[in-house]
Each structure stands twice: as C-alpha cells, then as structure tokens.
Amino acid sequence: MARVVTFIFIRLLAIAWVLMLANVFEVLGPYAISIIVLASEAVFGYLWAKAETEITMCKPAQEDAKLLALLMLGTAIVETVLVFFLVGPYVLWVILWRALVSYFPFTIVEILSYERRCKLRGIVRSSQ
C-alpha cells in the first residue's frame, strides 16, 4: 500500500513539474519541451527506483516491478477519462503525448533501475 501512495504522490509531483516545464520552456517550442519532459521523467523514474530499493531493501514481497506498469496504466486511464470529460475529445493527442514522453520513460527507467539495483544488492548480500 505504501508503494501505491508513494506512486500517487510522485505522479502528482510529476504533473506539476511537467506543467512548470511547459510554462518555463514555452519559448523553445513543443519538441524541446517534449525532450526536456522525457529526460525529467526518466530522472523521476530513476530516483523513485533508488528510493524504493533503499526503503524496501529489495525484499521479495516488494520486488514486483509489474505493479508499476499496472499503476501507470491505471493513471493513464484515469487521466484520459478526466481530460476527455473536462477538456473534450480533441485533446486525445495530448494524452498520447503524455504517454510517450512521461509514462513510458518513467516506467521503463524505474523498472530497469529497480531490478538492477536489487540484483546488485543480492550480489552484495551473498558475498557478505
């Protein structure tokens, strides 16, 4: 449950961060903003994986990286429904953009970093 709550907090923070980046770097244009958001989401994913490995100590019960993919899918669905009803169907490209530059980099980097860090911890533990 703590992972879900932390995930929700991180995603709210990420949405605020994306809005701030879009406002600050508006003069650079949409492609530059997309690259900056993609990079920052990858950093968010790495930092979250690092924090999770430190907190959970890679315990087997906590090690299911697939949970993150399900959380991201749920977030994408909720965000899609909200955007559709609040803004309208013409903004579906924004949702696709969000998935490509936010959800995928965050999820991929988090899963890979988490698994890699847990494998390294396993090697360190077995050598001690």
Side-chain angles (χ1 to χ4, degrees):
M1 187 66 180
R3 188 175 191 194
V4 174
V5 172
T6 305
F7 171 81
I8 291 169
F9 174 72
I10 290 296
R11 290 317 308 161
L12 289 173
L13 181 66
I15 289 171
W17 179 252
V18 166
L19 291 173
M20 190 271 310
L21 286 176
N23 284 331
V24 170
F25 294 107
E26 183 179 5
V27 296
L28 297 178
Y31 297 112
I33 291 170
S34 296
I35 291 169
I36 293 168
V37 169
L38 190 141
S40 69
E41 287 286 345
V43 170
F44 269 135
Y46 174 77
L47 292 175
W48 196 45
K50 184 176 179 179
E52 276 192 314
T53 54
E54 294 299 320
I55 293 168
T56 64
M57 301 298 285
C58 296
K59 295 175 185 164
Q62 303 287 337
E63 207 170 330
D64 186 16
K66 293 175 187 170
L67 175 63
L68 180 71
L70 293 174
L71 287 171
M72 280 302 227
L73 180 62
T75 302
I77 290 169
V78 168
E79 189 172 302
T80 301
V81 170
L82 287 174
V83 167
F84 186 78
F85 284 115
L86 294 176
V87 183
Y90 64 92
V91 198
L92 292 177
W93 288 109
V94 172
I95 297 164
L96 180 62
W97 173 81
R98 249 331 253 136
L100 292 175
V101 300
S102 293
Y103 297 144
F104 292 144
F106 181 90
T107 304
I108 291 168
V109 169
E110 195 277 343
I111 289 172
L112 294 175
S113 298
Y114 188 74
E115 289 177 349
R116 182 180 159 273
R117 291 178 64 85
C118 286
K119 284 180 184 175
L120 289 176
R121 282 186 176 272
I123 294 169
V124 171
R125 282 189 197 151
S126 63
S127 66
Q128 290 178 350

